[in-house]
Each structure stands twice: as structure tokens, then as C-alpha cells.
Amino acid sequence: MGLLDGLKGKAGTLAGKAGELVGDNADKVKDGLGKAGDFVDSKTGGKYSNHIDGAQDKASEMVDRFDKKDGNDDVSPPPPAV
């Protein structure tokens, strides 16, 4: 097994653990996303509100997918981007 193969395996394991943590703490993660978005919005004077809101929505959808993957529903996360 080469070095990169070992790293890929470890990255997959870490990604799985991160997904579990997000799914187990979905409400806390969403709250943090909201606070982070509000902070950035305040620092930019509302200039990028639409973009920030869109990013918050997408991130919240991802959290929902991880939460559902953990057994709260039967939806899996989207395939990785190429």
C-alpha cells in the first residue's frame, strides 16, 4: 500500500467521524452557522447579505443531510464534487 492510499483511507475515516459529529450536533452547528453569517454580515455592512444568506442556507442543508444520514431520515449526502 502506498502513502497516498493510506492517506485516502484515513481521510475517509475522518470524514465519516466528522459527519457523525455534525449529525449528532445539528442544532448547535446550525446555530453557529447563523452566528457566523450574522457576524460576517455585520462586518461587511450588509453589502453581501444575499451571498451570506445563500451560503448559510446551503450549509444548513448540508447539516440536515448529515443529520438525516445518521438515522433521522433516509437521505444520504450528495456525491463529492469532482
Side-chain angles (χ1 to χ4, degrees), residues 1-2 4 7 13-14 18 20 25 29 31 40 42-43 50 53 55-56 58-59 68 71 75 82:
M1 177 186 331
L4 291 178
L7 290 175
T13 302
L14 290 174
E20 289 176 22
N25 298 294
V29 172
D31 186 47
V40 171
S42 71
K43 292 297 181 182
N50 291 336
D53 290 342
Q56 284 176 305
K58 292 292 182 183
K68 291 175 185 175
V75 177
V82 177

Side-chain angles (χ1 to χ4, degrees), residues 2-69:
L3 177 65
L4 291 178
D5 291 332
L7 290 175
K8 286 180 185 177
K10 289 181 182 180
T13 302
L14 290 174
K17 288 181 182 181
E20 289 176 22
L21 288 172
V22 169
D24 292 344
N25 298 294
D27 292 336
K28 292 178 184 178
V29 172
K30 283 183 173 184
D31 186 47
L33 289 170
K35 289 179 181 180
D38 293 344
F39 175 77
V40 171
D41 197 32
S42 71
K43 292 297 181 182
T44 59
K47 185 175 181 180
Y48 303 102
S49 291
N50 291 336
H51 298 288
I52 293 167
D53 290 342
Q56 284 176 305
D57 291 342
K58 292 292 182 183
S60 181
E61 289 172 13
M62 289 298 294
V63 170
D64 287 339
R65 287 187 190 127
F66 278 112
D67 191 30
K68 291 175 185 175
K69 181 182 173 191

